């Protein structure tokens, strides 16, 4: 017979923790090794770098570069750091790539599971709060240097505007009004956005600012990947509006970069 | 100590079947049928938040007739098991056949337990075929599984009906169903069928856009193929 004991639970993370802890290899604080004896040089996980989000008049743009590093080497050129969550939200992740991708995937399933079992969408605020728990569940690994930091953005259908949430390593949740960028090139990206950003900008301006900010991050930070015109690799951008989550087509991103480079 | 009366296994099974049949006879029907872009599901249900038809997974939907408390548990547990399987392996590995087996085993075990009442429900598990699957595979076909209260299930083709007057409705569909119907034509076929059956009923249940629950699994949607149709949309389609 099916085990019906957790009927009524809309929290997929809880269900996995209780029934299948083996599927939560990294997001399970019981896995904390008290004194890791791994010499620093021999263990280099892939790390993802710069992700950012910018609010504009109709919603919010969320974007990330495509490079993952392994120490001072390029680990992966085409990694995806931005993931749609539900019809109006998306998560971008920076930090140790493995746990980052696991957190994004689990978060997406969690929100969808809630929606299907309850028959209504989990509110944007509810999603942002839940993400705090996931970041906190990674605390053990964060203490060992495997930090996962998400940037969460969405279009709040009740308040009718784009919103951005950032997190610290122990799960603290902070809302940003206009824009934010995290990861190794985050500070450089923020410096660019700060100079160019004005409230109530339109979509085109927002896309241009994002492209320029990611360019500057790649320019100043060795870990952040810029547009690769030879291999045709470009940052991934999503717009989140009342109409839903839309990926900005690669051709549009390429055109934005070519235009930007021509002005340099 | 008194000796318990002997009751033959045939008698026990017959009693349970009669008991469930009386329960299901009261249940309003749900119809699923294939149309041009996928699978359409329609139920007689005037309520707006307690559903008979629901989304389970990317390409899989669930429909139930009978006691809501009993099938609601199976619905959420189905979503749980599907999400766990998809999380462990890959989303494409979650299939209606697998889910049907899961429900079937559970319902069969409950029906056979000496100290439990059989579930007074009937289920349909539907899955949309994979449009771009290779031509020589059977993955392109839509799947419809009909699970009875005792876990016995059958694979149906083109359409299936559960609920009290399932036989009468199936007979009408047999006469009027054609392949490749447009969504509006398919919906009209079902509502007309409901109307015909209701005309024979003692207390008349009026079939209007407000009193039917409509959903579909549609090929044209990205990833999550399940879509619930609003009353407004149903009104337009039936106009």
């Amino acid at each position: 017979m099916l085990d019906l004991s957790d009927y009524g639970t809309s929290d997929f993370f809880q269900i996995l923790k209780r029934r299948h802890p083996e599927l939560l290899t990294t997001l399970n604080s019981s896995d904390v090794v008290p004194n890791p004896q791994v010499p620093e040089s021999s263990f280099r996980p892939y790390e993802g770098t710069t992700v950012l989000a910018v609010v504009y008049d109709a919603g919010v743009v969320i974007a990330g570069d495509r490079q993952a590093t392994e120490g001072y080497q390029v680990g992966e050129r085409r990694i995806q750091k931005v993931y749609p969550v539900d019809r109006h939200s998306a998560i971008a992740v920076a930090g140790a790539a493995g746990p980052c991708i696991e957190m994004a995937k689990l978060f997406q399933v969690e929100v969808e599971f809630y929606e299907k079992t309850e028959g209504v969408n989990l509110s944007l605020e509810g999603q942002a709060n839940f993400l705090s728990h996931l970041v906190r569940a990674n605390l053990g690994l964060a203490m060992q240097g495997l930090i996962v930091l998400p940037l969460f953005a969405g279009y709040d259908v009740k308040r009718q505007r784009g919103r951005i949430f950032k997190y610290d390593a122990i799960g603290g949740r902070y809302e940003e009004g206009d824009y934010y960028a995290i990861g190794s090139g985050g500070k450089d990206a923020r410096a660019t956005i700060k100079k160019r950003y004005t409230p109530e900008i339109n979509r085109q301006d927002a896309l241009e600012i994002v492209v320029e900010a990611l360019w500057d991050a790649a320019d100043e930070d060795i870990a952040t990947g810029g547009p690769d015109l030879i291999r045709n690799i470009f940052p991934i951008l999503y717009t989140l509006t009342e109409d839903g989550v839309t990926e900005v087509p690669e051709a549009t991103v390429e055109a934005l970069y070519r235009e930007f480079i021509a002005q340099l | 100590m008194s000796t318990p009366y002997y009751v033959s296994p045939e008698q026990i099974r017959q009693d349970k079947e009669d008991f469930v049949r009386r329960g299901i006879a009261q249940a309003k029907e749900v119809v699923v049928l294939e149309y041009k872009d996928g699978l359409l599901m329609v139920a007689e249900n005037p309520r707006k938040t307690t559903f008979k038809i629901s989304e389970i997974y990317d390409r899989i939907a669930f429909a139930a007739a009978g006691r809501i408390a009993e099938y609601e548990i199976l619905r959420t547990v189905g979503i749980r098991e599907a999400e766990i399987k998809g999380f462990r392996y890959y989303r494409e590995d979650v299939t209606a056949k697998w889910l049907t087996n899961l429900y079937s085993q559970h319902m069969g075990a409950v029906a056979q337990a000496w100290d439990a009442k059989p579930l007074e429900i009937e289920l349909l598990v539907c899955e949309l075929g994979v449009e771009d699957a290779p031509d020589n595979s059977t993955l392109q076909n839509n799947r419809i599984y009909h699970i009875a209260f005792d876990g016995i299930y059958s694979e149906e083709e083109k359409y299936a009906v559960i609920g009290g007057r399932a036989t009468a409705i199936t007979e009408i569909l047999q006469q009027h169903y054609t392949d490749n119907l447009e969504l509006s034509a398919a919906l009209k076929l079902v509502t007309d069928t409901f109307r015909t059956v209701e005309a024979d009923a003692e207390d008349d249940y009026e079939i209007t856009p407000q009193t039917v629950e409509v959903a579909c699994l549609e090929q044209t949607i990205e990833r999550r193929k399940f879509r619930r149709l609003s009353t407004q949309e149903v009104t337009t389609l039936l106009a």
Side-chain angles (χ1 to χ4, degrees), chain A:
Chain A
M1 261 188 243
L2 285 165
D3 181 352
L4 309 177
S5 59
D6 49 17
Y7 165 69
T9 309
S10 299
D11 184 350
F12 188 69
F13 183 47
Q14 270 315 317
I15 291 172
L16 277 192
K17 270 216 293 213
R18 197 159 55 223
R19 307 171 80 99
H20 297 285
E22 81 281 2
L23 293 177
L24 292 169
T25 42
T26 57
L27 287 172
N28 200 344
S29 24
S30 59
D31 284 349
V32 179
V33 186
N35 291 303
Q37 295 296 314
V38 191
E40 226 170 78
S41 56
S42 70
F43 179 59
R44 282 185 182 147
Y46 280 19
E47 296 222 24
T49 44
T50 309
V51 293
L52 53 85
V54 175
V55 173
Y56 67 101
D57 56 4
V60 50
V61 190
I62 185 164
D65 76 308
R66 302 293 296 277
Q67 186 163 287
T69 55
E70 192 181 1
Y72 293 108
Q73 310 255 309
V74 173
E76 168 64 45
R77 292 182 202 283
R78 295 170 195 272
I79 199 168
Q80 185 183 348
K81 301 176 189 175
V82 188
Y83 298 86
V85 176
D86 75 353
R87 242 178 73 74
H88 295 102
S89 63
I91 180 177
V93 278
C100 270
I101 294 167
E102 184 186 334
M103 185 184 287
K105 181 180 161 191
L106 179 62
F107 182 54
Q108 194 269 334
V109 173
E110 173 79 28
V111 171
E112 201 172 301
F113 185 76
Y114 181 100
E115 183 192 328
K116 285 193 288 196
T117 50
E118 303 260 327
V120 287
N121 288 71
L122 181 56
S123 65
L124 192 69
E125 197 93 25
Q127 294 179 27
N129 287 340
F130 180 79
L131 193 51
S132 271
H133 303 306
L134 281 188
V135 176
R136 205 169 297 127
N138 194 52
L139 182 61
L141 284 176
M143 301 287 272
Q144 291 171 37
L146 296 176
I147 294 180
V148 175
L149 281 184
L151 187 64
F152 177 62
Y155 182 81
D156 192 324
V157 279
K158 285 189 191 127
R159 290 162 189 82
Q160 302 203 312
R161 61 184 165 90
R163 297 175 74 183
I164 299 171
F165 299 89
K166 64 176 181 182
Y167 297 82
D168 63 25
I170 52 172
R173 190 212 86 169
Y174 313 93
E175 182 166 3
E176 283 289 336
D178 301 326
Y179 62 86
Y180 208 71
I182 60 166
S184 58
K187 203 174 160 200
D188 303 302
R190 288 201 300 273
T192 301
I193 305 171
K194 188 192 279 177
K195 293 278 180 265
R196 293 208 41 190
Y197 186 83
T198 48
E200 294 295 305
I201 50 170
N202 63 25
R203 177 176 180 273
Q204 183 60 26
D205 288 341
L207 294 182
E208 282 173 14
I209 291 176
V210 165
V211 158
E212 189 173 333
L214 281 171
W215 174 277
D216 285 343
D219 203 34
E220 296 295 326
D221 171 43
I222 50 163
T224 303
D228 189 334
L229 299 167
I230 295 162
R231 295 186 186 85
N232 269 319
I233 306 170
F234 297 96
I236 292 178
L237 279 67
Y238 279 93
T239 56
L240 320 173
T241 63
E242 189 166 15
D243 299 330
V245 176
T246 320
E247 186 172 359
V248 180
E250 199 181 69
T252 311
V253 180
E254 181 179 351
L256 283 163
Y257 268 106
R258 291 200 184 272
E259 208 171 295
F260 172 73
I261 291 166
Q263 291 168 3
L264 288 176

Side-chain angles (χ1 to χ4, degrees), chain B residues 5-48:
Chain B
Y5 287 110
Y6 173 77
V7 186
S8 75
E10 287 88 353
Q11 188 60 48
I12 294 173
R13 203 188 56 192
Q14 191 59 46
D15 285 354
K16 285 186 173 174
E17 207 174 313
D18 290 345
F19 166 76
V20 174
R21 190 154 291 149
R22 282 195 299 276
I24 297 279
Q26 322 263 327
K28 289 283 187 193
E29 296 74 15
V30 189
V31 173
V32 55
L33 84 169
E34 230 173 59
Y35 72 105
K36 197 167 120 281
D37 296 321
L39 291 165
L40 170 71
M41 285 157 284
V42 190
E44 290 191 5
N45 182 6
R47 282 163 277 277
K48 294 295 165 231

Side-chain angles (χ1 to χ4, degrees), chain B residues 11 14 21 54 96 103 105 117 119 121 131-132 142 144 158 170 175 186 191-192 196 201 215 219 222 224 226 234:
Chain B
Q11 188 60 48
Q14 191 59 46
R21 190 154 291 149
S54 315
Y103 284 145
Q105 283 162 21
K117 156 192 107 58
L119 298 173
I121 54 173
E131 220 174 18
D132 51 6
N142 298 323
I144 304 169
K158 301 192 192 298
T170 310
Q175 288 165 26
T191 48
D192 287 348
T196 313
Q219 288 290 7
E222 284 286 302
R224 286 170 75 182
F226 184 86
V234 173

